[in-house]
Amino acid sequence: MTSLPPSQDIERLKVLAMLHYVVAGLVLALALLPLVFVAIGGVVLLAPESMTSGDSELPPFAAGLIFLAIGLALFVYGLVLAIALIVSGGCLRRHKHYWFSVVVACGALTFTPLGTVLGVATLAVLVQESVRELYGIDPSGTP
């Protein structure tokens, strides 16, 4: 495998850091959508019993809790992923915390399609020997 000059590796890491920030903003914006589920769940939980039709097999209280739980879980997931992407972007820019950036890149793979592309690109750059040397990691694999 040919090694790139350090300046090209540094430039790639800067571009990846910027892309981490962009995808983090998109993740954060899309993380607000599950709050609709939270609102629906809250309305169902707070609605009086007279508003139910009675032909449903699932009690309204249980349906409200399901909507509330799913909405909150998706919102928290998006918020945590966005924060992790922002922190990882800073780590990439400063060439610090190599393994944190690897883990966040793997976590970004779940946010399709942009996170998948970003995660694969980040992993492809981080596994290069010259980049590992920038982080101060021995290319043979021992820290």
Side-chain angles (χ1 to χ4, degrees):
M1 180 180 227
T2 61
S3 179
L4 294 173
S7 63
Q8 287 183 345
D9 287 333
I10 292 170
E11 192 61 35
R12 283 184 177 183
L13 289 172
K14 285 181 184 178
V15 169
L16 278 175
M18 182 183 60
L19 289 174
H20 271 69
Y21 298 142
V22 170
V23 172
L26 291 172
V27 168
L28 193 57
L30 291 175
L32 298 176
L33 290 177
L35 292 179
V36 172
F37 284 102
V38 173
I40 292 171
V43 166
V44 170
L45 287 176
L46 297 176
E49 291 293 324
S50 63
M51 293 181 70
T52 61
S53 63
D55 58 351
S56 166
E57 291 184 22
L58 187 63
F61 184 77
L65 281 180
I66 290 170
F67 269 82
L68 194 66
I70 290 173
L72 283 176
L74 290 174
F75 173 71
V76 169
Y77 165 73
L79 193 63
V80 168
L81 181 59
I83 291 170
L85 284 168
I86 291 170
V87 172
S88 178
C91 292
L92 287 169
R93 193 172 27 100
R94 291 178 278 126
H95 315 134
K96 302 283 183 193
H97 307 291
Y98 175 84
W99 289 110
F100 177 76
S101 293
V102 169
V103 170
V104 171
C106 291
L109 293 172
T110 62
F111 181 69
T112 57
L114 294 177
T116 304
V117 173
L118 178 67
V120 168
T122 302
L123 290 172
V125 169
L126 287 177
V127 297
Q128 295 177 0
E129 291 178 13
S130 57
V131 173
R132 290 173 62 96
E133 288 173 1
L134 279 175
Y135 278 87
I137 296 175
D138 184 24
S140 65
T142 56

